[in-house]
């Protein structure tokens, strides 16, 4: 689904609680699930793996796999669940993913990736997209990325999101693969220049909306990852800055109040408060009282029997910090 800004799929982070919280900050950003193995979708608990709330649209499901038939079956299930897009992961460098022959190691098999996408497109009406790297290990990013993109264009892929780094499958951990390989944004720009009719989005090391706006002069979309998670308030100005539309929340407190009913609903359904609160830790990033907010939302949320009052206690810390700022420093006695 074409979008000027997306929040990247992030394992153990972009679950449905995270996504609903982010949706209260922006109506327009495309949200992604965590990567889900196609085999799990076909054979596992689909409601647990794929369940989402209607408010989350526009919403994409990212699949991992390399078997065209299995991916086609999984894509059909994803479409039937009501997702707006299905995305194939060709970028994850973890050992577990490599052992299953999917993720970034598929950069070496562009023909197979094209076959997978063709199989998925044959059975769904929603967009089928791919997220990849510029290459892996000793590959030259020029022919490697071109081969991937050209094969996908031939089978009608709807969009290509490119993490503008190589993945080093030998010698670097998944965490190191997010930081150590150098970024090469120009390589992604060149791909867009060569394939002007293909929707191309860029990902990797993009930390602010200002940086996103600069990239949008060269590509169709920008994907924020850790920056959107650790400083989510940035998302609250996506709609106005990138789409010229009103933002959903006037301030952080309004966003919290809008999210509160969902939080109560999920707590009543049996979730623990820390499972929800962890996605809100960065909301007051850079604001007086942010450290106390994080402490209350972290420590109090794991206490036995903790509930919605954790949120109120953390908000009280922000209020106290704000009041102290207004009062200014205490006068020094003579």
């Amino acid at each position: 689904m074409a979008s000027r800004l997306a929040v990247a799929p992030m394992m153990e982070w972009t679950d449905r609680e995270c996504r609903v919280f982010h949706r209260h900050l922006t109506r327009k950003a495309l949200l992604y699930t965590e990567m889900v193995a196609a085999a799990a979708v076909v054979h596992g608990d689909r409601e647990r793996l794929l369940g989402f709330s209607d408010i989350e649209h526009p919403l994409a499901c990212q699949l991992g796999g390399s078997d065209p038939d299995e991916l086609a079956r999984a894509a059909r299930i994803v479409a039937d669940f009501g997702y707006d897009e299905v995305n194939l992961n060709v970028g994850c460098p973890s050992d577990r993913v490599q052992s299953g022959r999917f993720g970034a190691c598929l950069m070496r098999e562009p023909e197979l990736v094209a076959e997978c996408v063709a199989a998925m497109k044959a059975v769904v009406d929603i967009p089928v997209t791919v997220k990849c790297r510029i290459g892996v290990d000793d590959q030259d990013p020029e022919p490697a990325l071109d081969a991937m993109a050209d094969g996908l264009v031939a089978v009608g892929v709807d969009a290509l999101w490119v993490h503008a780094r190589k993945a080093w499958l030998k010698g670097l951990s998944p965490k190191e693969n997010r930081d150590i390989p150098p970024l090469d944004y120009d390589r992604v720009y060149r791909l867009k220049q060569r394939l002007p009719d293909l929707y191309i989005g860029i990902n990797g090391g993009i930390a602010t909306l200002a940086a996103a706006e600069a990239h949008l002069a060269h590509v169709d979309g920008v994907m924020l990852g850790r920056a959107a998670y650790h400083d989510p308030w940035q998302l609250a100005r996506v709609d106005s800055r990138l789409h010229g539309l009103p933002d959903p929340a006037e301030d952080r407190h309004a966003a919290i109040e809008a999210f509160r009913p969902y939080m109560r609903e999920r707590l009543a359904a049996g979730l623990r408060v820390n499972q929800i609160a962890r996605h809100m830790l960065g909301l007051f990033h850079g604001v007086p009282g942010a450290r106390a907010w994080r402490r209350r939302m972290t420590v109090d949320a794991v206490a036995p029997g903790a509930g919605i009052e954790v949120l109120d206690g953390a908000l009280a810390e922000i209020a106290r910090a704000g009041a102290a700022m207004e009062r200014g420093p205490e006068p020094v006695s003579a």
Side-chain angles (χ1 to χ4, degrees), residues 103-144:
C105 63
L106 288 174
M107 289 296 299
R108 298 195 188 100
E109 302 184 75
E111 298 87 356
L112 176 58
V113 175
E115 186 180 349
C116 291
V117 169
M120 295 162 73
K121 284 192 67 66
V123 298
V124 301
D125 294 325
I126 61 174
V128 177
T129 68
V130 169
K131 186 171 186 286
C132 70
R133 295 277 183 138
I134 61 173
V136 294
D137 296 337
D138 293 324
Q139 280 185 326
D140 182 341
E142 293 297 325

Side-chain angles (χ1 to χ4, degrees), residues 206-247:
I206 303 167
T208 65
L209 282 188
E213 288 170 322
H215 285 295
L216 287 170
H218 304 279
V219 292
D220 302 297
V222 174
M223 186 174 274
L224 296 184
R226 286 167 290 166
Y229 192 86
H230 292 308
D231 186 7
W233 185 245
Q234 293 192 82
L235 298 177
R237 296 299 173 256
V238 167
D239 296 6
S240 57
R241 289 182 62 167
L242 301 186
H243 296 276
L245 298 172
D247 294 310

Side-chain angles (χ1 to χ4, degrees), residues 74-160:
R76 179 70 264 168
I77 293 165
V78 165
D80 288 344
F81 254 76
Y83 281 85
D84 301 297
E85 173 190 310
V86 59
N87 176 272
L88 179 61
N89 183 315
V90 187
C92 181
S94 77
D95 292 339
R96 181 176 64 85
V97 167
Q98 290 180 59
S99 67
R101 198 186 171 207
F102 57 90
C105 63
L106 288 174
M107 289 296 299
R108 298 195 188 100
E109 302 184 75
E111 298 87 356
L112 176 58
V113 175
E115 186 180 349
C116 291
V117 169
M120 295 162 73
K121 284 192 67 66
V123 298
V124 301
D125 294 325
I126 61 174
V128 177
T129 68
V130 169
K131 186 171 186 286
C132 70
R133 295 277 183 138
I134 61 173
V136 294
D137 296 337
D138 293 324
Q139 280 185 326
D140 182 341
E142 293 297 325
L145 186 57
D146 281 349
M148 179 62 65
D150 290 347
L152 293 172
V153 168
V155 296
V157 75
D158 293 287
L160 180 61

Side-chain angles (χ1 to χ4, degrees), residues 15 17-18 229 267 270-279 301:
D15 61 17
E17 277 62 57
C18 174
Y229 192 86
L267 291 173
L271 259 70
R272 299 185 303 275
V273 68
N274 64 297
Q275 292 175 286
I276 306 172
R278 68 191 185 98
H279 302 303

